[in-house]
Structure formats: structure tokens, C-alpha cells
Amino acid sequence: RCVQETGMDIVQIAVAFNELNIGNDLFWEKMQSRIMKNLSDITEEGVIHLMKVRYKWSDDLWKYFEKMFLKHIEALDDSLLIKGIRALVFNRRENPKVWEAIENRILVKKENLPEIQPAALAEITMMLAASPLKSNNLWEELESQLHSNLTQLDVRRLSFVVNAFSKVHMGTQKFWADITQSLQEQLQEERNIFALDLMRIVRAYSLIKKGDTKFWFLLEQKVSSLLESSQNDLKYVAPLWVNIFLAFSRVRKGSVMFWKTLLFKIQSILDKVDLKQLVLIIRYSYQASQIDQNWKSKLMSELESKFFGLNNNQFFYQYYLLIKDPVSYTHLTLPTIYSVQISVVPVSLKKKIQ
């Protein structure tokens, strides 16, 4: 039960329970009631932290959050600005005034207002790709600021940038050429690349069909190293490797040995792959001439098992379309920007690749 705390005490309790992923609906309803009674005692930083909580706050409370965010947006440091924008994107808030203020925070230069640092801007850029902000002026300004500071961005931040610009189909040829060169130089020097960072890069370049043979060979080497390492993370293992599989399938890159190892990895996680991911794997498997019929048959058997017992007509219709024409679906996305390192010791496939 909530006792008589200050508003910021209540914020700390809410954040702690959220981070521990505990508290039933009744607890969060009482927590929301307590927050509503103590709003005047909660600072703008406290509001940002409450925006991050995964509980679905009422629309009235969200309107207050947005009002506070608007009021203090120019005073927020990079860290709080990132957290606020992330919460707005995650909760699909579409208040035009809020997004206009965020756009102005990036576009409008004021003497007394510190510039957003390049690393923070890279992270904000990735989140903006999932926001309502798609104006050319904004993305041209983002490109300008990021382009002039590429040397200050590490592999992770560069992965944020290429991920965002590939999603919104923005960026001049010069921008893409320079960011590709920067990535190539850093990838050659960096040995320990986080799995999600590498996945973002591979997916981005596959979606926009960029990167020469040398660049894709470098990406193949990095993915192969990831497959050969010894760490693993089960939370994101399926969507991550599905994305990598789809990326190399789109651009038809990768050596025979690379595909052997990658297909073995996909085969090992099929039980963790959801229906949408499986349909995507099948779509691209049917497009790839280097994947044999035995593999395709196994995928279709797995699809049938996942459909067993379902009554969703839409999915059955998609299944029918898949059997009729395996080349029709959309690409998969990961709902996170956090990083994990994923790897497995490669084992040769018994199935031959033609």
C-alpha cells in the first residue's frame, strides 16, 4: 500500500516497481490515483520517469505529462529529452503540439540553448523514425548535424543513424557514402560488436540496397564472428537472427559456408520464431535458389504446426496466400534499441546447400 509520501517518493516507488516488473493492475490503479493527487509535487524530471513506466496511464494523466514536457522541453538535458521522446514513441502519443515542440528543439538554434550532442542526436534520430515527424526540413537538418559529426559517433550510434534513415528513405548519396566509409573503418577495427547494433546495420543496408561487395563481405565476417562466439541471449535471439537472415536474403549476399552456418542457426531457433517471423523466413527461402527443397519443406511443416488449433481467419488467409504465392509480406522490426551480444558455436548442416 502507498503511504503518505511526497510526490517524488511516489515517482521512485513507481519506477522501482516498473523496473522490477512487479505490481498487479490494482496496485497500478492505486499508484495512478496517488500520482494524480500529488502532481503539483512532482518535478519535470519525475514526470519524464513516469512517462517511461510501462503501465498504461489514463489519457488525463498523459495530457498532464505532455503539458509538463512542453513547458520544460528547452530546459531538459540530452538524457531526459531522449527518455521523454522514447516514452512518447513507445506509447504512440500523437499530440501535434508536442511533436512540433520536439521538431523546434532540433531545428531552432538559440544562444542560451545548448546544442544536442551528436551521440544523443543519433539516438533521438532513431526514435524519430518511428514518430509522426517526417518533414524534409527536419530530416535534412538531422542529416546536416550528424554528417558534420560522424567522427564523434561510434558503431552503435552509427547503427542508430543508418537504421533511422533507411526506414524513412532519407539521406543524400554523399551522406550515405561518408557514413558507410565511417562504418567500414570502425567495423574493421572493432572486434566486439553488439548483436543488435550489427543487425541494425545489416537490415538498414539491405532495405535501401546500399553497400558494395567489399562492405557486405565485411558484414558477413562480423556476423560469422557473432555466430562463432560463446555468449547467448534468449530474449531477442529469434527476431535478431530472423532479421539477419532476411537482410542477407534481400541482397542475395553471403558465401556457401556462411549460409550453412546461418541456416543452422535459424533451424535451432524455429521453436522460438513466431508466426509472422516464420512466414517471412519462408517467403525469402522460396526466393533464394541456394536453399534446397528439404529446408523449405521443414519450414512449411513448422508453419502448419504453428497454425494448428488457430481460429484466426486472417492468418489462415495469409497462409493460403503464402502457399499460393510465397513472395508477399512485410519486413520484421525489433521493438527495442537496447543491445545484447548473441552468438553460438557453428555446427555444420546435414542438409546440403545446392
Side-chain angles (χ1 to χ4, degrees):
R1 295 178 59 184
C2 295
V3 296
Q4 293 294 330
E5 303 92 357
T6 66
M8 290 307 294
D9 288 335
I10 296 171
V11 170
Q12 291 178 357
I13 294 172
V15 170
F17 273 69
N18 178 67
E19 290 178 350
L20 294 171
N21 196 28
I22 56 178
N24 56 27
D25 288 344
L26 180 59
F27 167 82
W28 285 107
E29 287 174 9
K30 290 184 176 180
M31 179 62 71
Q32 177 169 276
S33 177
R34 177 71 66 170
I35 290 169
M36 294 289 287
K37 293 177 181 178
N38 290 270
L39 287 177
S40 61
D41 195 28
I42 299 176
T43 66
E44 63 272 17
E45 183 174 353
V47 166
I48 297 293
H49 287 300
L50 288 175
M51 289 168 65
K52 290 168 49 190
V53 171
R54 287 183 292 273
Y55 179 72
K56 190 174 181 180
W57 302 121
S58 68
D59 196 52
D60 286 341
L61 190 53
W62 261 106
K63 287 177 180 178
Y64 178 81
F65 291 164
E66 291 172 345
K67 179 181 177 181
M68 287 287 285
F69 185 82
L70 280 169
K71 181 179 179 181
H72 297 281
I73 188 169
E74 292 189 355
L76 297 177
D77 61 26
D78 288 353
S79 175
L80 290 177
L81 186 61
I82 288 171
K83 292 173 182 176
I85 296 174
R86 183 186 297 136
L88 291 166
V89 170
F90 180 81
N91 289 279
R92 301 182 180 181
R93 303 298 298 181
E94 297 185 354
N95 185 333
K97 291 183 179 179
V98 173
W99 290 109
E100 182 181 355
I102 293 171
E103 184 169 4
N104 289 337
R105 178 69 175 83
I106 297 170
L107 292 175
V108 179
K109 308 300 180 185
K110 295 182 180 180
E111 292 183 2
N112 61 339
L113 191 63
E115 288 190 9
I116 301 171
Q117 294 301 302
L121 188 63
E123 190 166 345
I124 289 172
T125 298
M126 188 173 72
M127 291 183 288
L128 293 181
S131 79
L133 297 181
K134 298 295 188 292
S135 72
N136 288 335
N137 286 342
L138 173 64
W139 284 91
E140 287 170 3
E141 178 61 25
L142 289 169
E143 176 181 330
S144 176
Q145 291 187 37
L146 293 165
H147 199 174
S148 60
N149 291 287
L150 287 180
T151 56
Q152 299 184 47
L153 302 179
D154 59 12
V155 171
R156 171 166 299 174
R157 273 72 187 188
L158 289 173
S159 79
F160 292 166
V161 175
V162 296
N163 182 72
F165 276 82
S166 68
K167 283 184 176 179
V168 298
H169 302 286
M170 296 284 189
T172 61
Q173 289 188 1
K174 174 64 174 172
F175 174 71
W176 276 105
D178 289 348
I179 201 169
T180 302
Q181 181 178 351
S182 182
L183 265 173
Q184 189 163 320
E185 292 172 355
Q186 292 197 46
L187 286 172
Q188 287 171 339
E189 297 176 359
E190 185 67 48
R191 290 187 176 183
N192 298 318
I193 307 296
F194 282 99
L196 287 184
D197 298 338
L198 184 57
M199 183 280 298
R200 290 188 203 98
I201 296 168
V202 170
R203 183 177 63 184
Y205 279 85
S206 74
L207 289 175
I208 59 173
K209 302 294 192 294
K210 289 188 179 291
D212 58 18
T213 301
K214 182 179 179 181
F215 183 70
W216 275 98
F217 180 67
L218 178 60
L219 293 178
E220 178 185 328
Q221 288 181 313
K222 295 300 178 181
V223 173
S224 296
S225 296
L226 199 63
L227 284 163
E228 293 169 4
S229 56
S230 59
Q231 297 182 15
N232 205 347
D233 185 290
L234 296 178
K235 186 175 182 181
Y236 299 119
V237 65
L240 185 141
W241 287 111
V242 171
N243 268 285
I244 290 177
F245 170 87
L246 297 178
F248 278 87
S249 299
R250 285 189 197 100
V251 295
R252 300 175 186 270
K253 301 288 186 181
S255 64
V256 172
M257 184 55 66
F258 171 78
W259 273 102
K260 265 190 174 185
T261 311
L262 184 57
L263 286 178
F264 177 80
K265 179 62 182 177
I266 296 298
Q267 182 175 332
S268 71
I269 62 169
L270 278 181
D271 61 324
K272 301 179 182 68
V273 171
D274 66 25
L275 192 58
K276 178 179 178 181
Q277 295 165 0
L278 184 59
V279 171
L280 287 166
I281 293 171
I282 293 173
R283 170 194 171 185
Y284 283 96
S285 293
Y286 271 79
Q287 286 180 320
S289 59
Q290 70 268 40
I291 297 179
D292 66 16
Q293 189 59 43
N294 288 335
W295 167 253
K296 297 170 186 176
S297 298
K298 179 176 178 58
L299 292 175
M300 295 306 293
S301 297
E302 184 69 22
L303 181 64
E304 289 173 0
S305 69
K306 288 187 184 294
F307 269 107
F308 183 75
L310 291 180
N311 293 313
N312 189 318
N313 290 332
Q314 181 180 6
F315 277 126
F316 276 108
Y317 178 64
Q318 290 176 346
Y319 182 39
Y320 163 75
L321 290 179
L322 177 67
I323 301 299
K324 184 179 180 181
D325 178 13
V327 188
S328 60
Y329 221 77
T330 56
H331 75 276
L332 177 70
T333 57
L334 271 176
T336 181
I337 65 169
Y338 299 106
S339 296
V340 294
Q341 280 187 304
I342 297 181
S343 49
V344 67
V345 177
V347 181
S348 299
L349 267 181
K350 291 182 180 179
K351 296 181 175 60
K352 295 181 180 179
I353 299 180
Q354 296 175 342

